[in-house]
Amino acid sequence: MDKEIEVLLSVMKTKNEEEYKKILQQNNIKSNVIAINQVEKETDIFNIKNGRQKILSYKEKGASRSRNRLIENAQGDICIFADDDTKYVENYEKIIKTEFQNKPYADVIIFHIENEYKKREKIKKIGNKKLNILDIMKVRTSEIALTKNAIEKIRKMNIKFDCNFGPEGIFLKGEETVFIYTLLKNEFEIYSVKKKIGLVHDTQSTWFTGYNKKYLYDQGAIFYKINPKWYKLLNLQYVI
């Protein structure tokens, strides 16, 4: 039986169905999709549920809150996170399906999203391997694909993206690092492949303003979160 891909899409301030469809077209999303739309006013809330394409609006902020809503509502056989600036390659569905067919034991596979805008934070390739704790800092949310069984296990174990991390959180980055670390700690089978499935549009990041004091402060908070015993040694690599 052919597996269905479902894109778990985070969007903001989308006002109507026309704007929503424009995002899907620009980002070449052709598979099933469920979108969480974060709005500023109650009057901006609207929902669409028409089978393959769904959008649910909430008056709230935060990338991690959006991801958690997506996990709550995900239904696909294979689910992959996306932002509204993630544009997929033409054959992204086939690439994703093939890799999960080749790795039936995998709960999660990390693909590669290329960064088109050079002033953004650098996206690092991991390679073809089983993920370990030294790799988790290289993962970006839009590269994470999960099986339906993994999603159900996450719900059962009440694993969530930490809302203190990520855009609109106390610390403006690191939500995917903390999330993947939690999955590894709970013995999820996570693999990385050097397969490009998309790119980030040539647009400025909503949070990254350079490798400045705030960036390094937040980086230290991530290290402390994932390893409070050895975080100072992890910080040392940035000093070097």
Side-chain angles (χ1 to χ4, degrees):
M1 182 177 177
D2 192 30
K3 301 283 187 181
E4 284 194 345
I5 304 294
E6 184 175 65
V7 174
L8 306 181
L9 178 64
S10 294
V11 298
M12 294 176 63
K13 302 177 184 178
T14 303
K15 296 178 181 178
N16 51 48
E17 187 171 359
E18 185 179 342
E19 285 191 10
Y20 175 52
K21 288 182 176 179
K22 187 176 179 180
I23 292 170
L24 300 186
Q25 185 177 13
Q26 288 176 340
N27 294 341
N28 196 35
I29 297 174
K30 298 178 179 178
S31 54
N32 291 0
V33 56
I34 181 165
I36 297 299
N37 178 37
Q38 294 184 333
V39 299
E40 293 183 335
K41 299 180 293 185
E42 294 285 345
T43 52
D44 292 335
I45 290 177
F46 75 99
N47 299 314
I48 300 170
K49 295 181 181 180
N50 62 355
R52 287 174 57 85
Q53 298 176 357
K54 301 177 184 178
I55 183 167
L56 305 173
S57 299
Y58 297 90
K59 184 180 176 293
E60 60 188 19
K61 293 182 179 180
S64 289
R65 285 186 177 85
S66 180
R67 313 297 187 196
N68 291 334
R69 293 279 191 190
L70 288 164
I71 289 171
E72 288 172 12
N73 290 280
Q75 296 178 327
D77 299 314
I78 300 169
C79 298
I80 183 156
F81 290 106
D83 291 315
D84 58 7
D85 59 359
T86 305
K87 182 177 181 180
Y88 290 107
V89 299
E90 281 299 322
N91 58 338
Y92 74 95
E93 290 179 274
K94 183 178 179 180
I95 294 170
I96 294 169
K97 289 177 184 179
T98 300
E99 290 304 321
F100 275 99
Q101 286 170 359
N102 293 339
K103 296 177 177 61
Y105 41 81
D107 295 307
V108 179
I109 295 180
I110 310 300
F111 291 89
H112 178 60
I113 298 288
E114 190 174 285
N115 201 341
E116 193 176 43
Y117 191 62
K118 302 307 177 186
K119 291 185 179 180
R120 281 177 175 261
E121 184 185 27
K122 186 177 180 182
I123 296 177
K124 301 171 184 176
K125 290 183 181 180
I126 300 171
N128 297 312
K129 58 181 294 191
K130 186 174 182 179
L131 216 71
N132 61 50
I133 194 169
L134 297 178
D135 301 316
I136 62 175
M137 294 297 301
K138 301 175 183 177
V139 177
R140 294 295 172 263
T141 308
S142 54
E143 298 175 320
I144 302 171
L146 313 92
T147 64
K148 189 171 189 174
N149 286 340
I151 290 282
E152 290 173 352
K153 189 176 175 183
I154 287 167
R155 289 172 183 155
K156 186 176 180 180
M157 298 177 74
N158 199 31
I159 295 172
K160 295 182 182 294
F161 281 83
D162 189 328
C163 292
N164 288 319
F165 292 86
E168 300 293 342
I170 298 171
F171 312 107
L172 298 180
K173 57 173 290 186
E175 73 276 13
E176 62 277 273
T177 302
V178 175
F179 180 72
I180 289 293
Y181 171 74
T182 306
L183 297 188
L184 278 177
K185 191 171 66 171
N186 284 281
E187 300 183 345
F188 282 67
E189 292 289 322
I190 307 176
Y191 293 82
S192 170
V193 295
K194 291 195 295 185
K195 293 293 178 71
K196 177 182 169 180
I197 58 169
L199 55 84
V200 177
H201 287 306
D202 189 9
T203 54
Q204 191 169 353
S205 171
T206 58
W207 68 269
F208 181 69
T209 56
Y211 297 98
N212 50 30
K213 184 176 180 179
K214 174 61 175 169
Y215 179 94
L216 296 174
Y217 180 82
D218 290 356
Q219 192 69 60
I222 297 166
F223 288 146
Y224 184 81
K225 177 69 177 181
I226 63 177
N227 198 324
K229 185 176 180 180
W230 299 105
Y231 78 97
K232 290 184 179 179
L233 288 178
L234 295 172
N235 283 342
L236 185 60
Q237 68 178 309
Y238 273 79
V239 177
I240 294 171

